[in-house]
Structure formats: structure tokens, C-alpha cells
Amino acid sequence: MSSLTRIVSWSHQLLCEVLEHGDLAVDLTAGTGQDTHVLAEAVGTEGQVVAFDLQAEALEQTTQRLQEHDFVVKSVPDDTEIPRAFGVYLVHACHSSLDKIITHPVKAIIANLGYLPGGNKSLVTRPDSTLAALSQSLELLVAGGRLAVTVYPAHPGGEEEGEAVNAFFCSLSRENWLVLSLRAANRSEAPYLLVAEHLP
Ligand SMILES: C[S@@+](CC[C@H](N)C(=O)[O-])C[C@H]1O[C@@H](n2cnc3c(N)ncnc32)[C@H](O)[C@@H]1O
């Protein structure tokens, strides 16, 4: 497969460009923990990553992946505000509770939409909660911080969610945000990436 289609790798690269050791980063959809792990490596042991997922199965996979790489993982009750500290915090809750759980400035936020790879394909991200989480994300991002969202249009409901997410990114003010859209122009079913950078 061509490297042009490695959309998730592009999202990692664009977030790691701005992340430094000690930063706070957020994964809105932990899934198998691949993205959480990339963020954890980028912020280092003195940094903090907070990752959300609705499914216990996803958080178990994320815990296992992070522990295999020697990260200390902490589970957080779904209604608890997390202090600014170091380590990887896993939240078993909808990402639309982001602003109740995190109140500190964040450098990078990732969301990989759709369903858990290898899991229940009917348990997918939905436009209402996705948009709520994305709006809250913008409020938390520091100047120079980035929000990266990978959209999967191929599964049922994915195209509609993508249209809603795309409209959200397109509506951001050009004074405060720079928005990048990365997609295969001749493959409407292929995943695509939207990245917003908070301008100083
Ligand atoms: C495509 S997967 C994420 C992939 C993941 N980032 C990785 O590195 O493997 C999407 C995940 O979003 C989760 N999810 C769906 N709706 C959610 C919601 N409202 N809040 C938090 N997580 C959600 C699913 O349970 C699933 O694990």
C-alpha cells in the first residue's frame, strides 16, 4: 500500500512536531492504545497523557500496550477532574465529558474516529458526542497546540459523521486557527485527516 494512505501516521507526525517532554496531551478515543502510546512517548515520563474510551475492552488493550512499554497507567473514575501531574491516565467515559475531567491547557489532542479495530463494529463514534468533544478540545488547546482528527467514512454513519466534522473544522475562524485537510482526492471512502492549529 502506498505511504500516501498512512493517514494515522501523518496525524502522529503533525502532533509530535509540537509536543515536548513534560506536555499534556489527550487521546479522545483510546481504542487499541496505538495513538495513546505515541503521545506518551512524545511527552516522556515527565509528561501527562489522558485517554478516553467508552469500552472497557479498549482501555484494557491500551493498558497492556502502555505497560509493555514500561509506562505507569492510572485509571480514573469517569466524573473526576484529573490534576496536572505525570503519567498516563485512562478515563472510562464518553469524550464529551472532556471539560469536566481536564481543566489545564493541553498541547495536542488526537481523535481516531469509528470503531475499535477487531471489536464491535456497531459501537462507533457519533456526531453529537464527537462535536461536543471537539468544541471542548479547542477551548483547552494552548497557542501553538494542535487537534488532529482522523475520519473513517466507509462504515455506516461514518460519512455523515465526517461531513459534520469537516463542517466544524471549516467553520473555525481564520484569525485564530489554521486548518489542514489531508485526503485522497480520488477515493471518497478512504480515511482522511483534519488538523487545526491554534494560532498565537
Ligand atoms: C478507531 S478506534 C480508536 C483507535 C485508537 N486511537 C488506536 O490507537 O487504536 C475508536 C474508539 O473510539 C471509542 N469510542 C466510541 N465512541 C466514544 C465516545 N463517545 N467516547 C469515547 N470513546 C469512544 C470506541 O470504543 C473505539 O475504541
Side-chain angles (χ1 to χ4, degrees):
M1 193 187 290
S2 165
S3 67
L4 291 184
T5 63
R6 287 195 207 126
I7 289 294
V8 173
S9 303
W10 293 114
S11 74
H12 294 166
Q13 187 173 327
L14 291 168
L15 293 189
C16 287
E17 258 177 38
V18 298
L19 280 171
E20 294 172 350
H21 279 201
D23 281 339
L24 169 59
V26 174
D27 185 351
L28 295 173
T29 56
T32 68
Q34 188 192 2
D35 300 329
T36 306
H37 177 221
V38 168
L39 298 179
E41 294 285 359
V43 301
T45 49
E46 66 267 46
Q48 184 176 27
V49 178
V50 179
F52 292 78
D53 208 291
L54 275 182
Q55 295 191 72
E57 182 187 347
L59 294 175
E60 282 158 21
Q61 289 186 35
T62 300
T63 301
Q64 189 176 343
R65 187 189 292 266
L66 273 286
Q67 287 177 343
E68 279 168 9
H69 291 87
D70 298 327
F71 286 95
V72 176
V73 178
K74 300 164 196 180
S75 297
V76 183
D78 62 2
D79 55 354
T80 306
E81 187 181 328
I82 299 176
R84 184 69 171 92
F86 56 86
V88 179
Y89 291 72
L90 300 187
V91 187
H92 189 183
C94 177
H95 39 223
S96 60
S97 55
L98 174 67
D99 62 357
K100 293 179 191 64
I101 287 168
I102 300 178
T103 54
H104 300 276
V106 179
K107 181 65 86 59
I109 302 179
I110 196 165
N112 205 333
L113 303 179
Y115 54 84
L116 176 66
N120 181 351
K121 290 192 179 175
S122 64
L123 211 164
V124 292
T125 51
R126 307 266 176 205
D128 284 359
S129 45
T130 298
L131 292 183
L134 297 185
S135 301
Q136 294 168 27
S137 296
L138 298 187
E139 297 296 321
L140 290 171
L141 276 183
V142 297
R146 289 180 181 172
L147 166 66
V149 180
T150 299
V151 174
Y152 295 81
H155 64 267
E159 192 178 342
E160 293 72 19
E161 182 179 41
E163 283 168 7
V165 170
N166 196 52
F168 171 84
F169 274 90
C170 289
S171 73
L172 300 185
S173 85
R174 50 182 295 147
E175 287 76 30
N176 297 320
W177 299 95
L178 182 61
V179 176
L180 172 76
S181 167
L182 202 55
R183 87 182 284 177
N186 60 349
R187 282 167 170 70
S188 60
E189 75 289 2
Y192 57 93
L193 175 65
L194 291 153
V195 182
E197 179 175 301
H198 193 184
L199 298 174

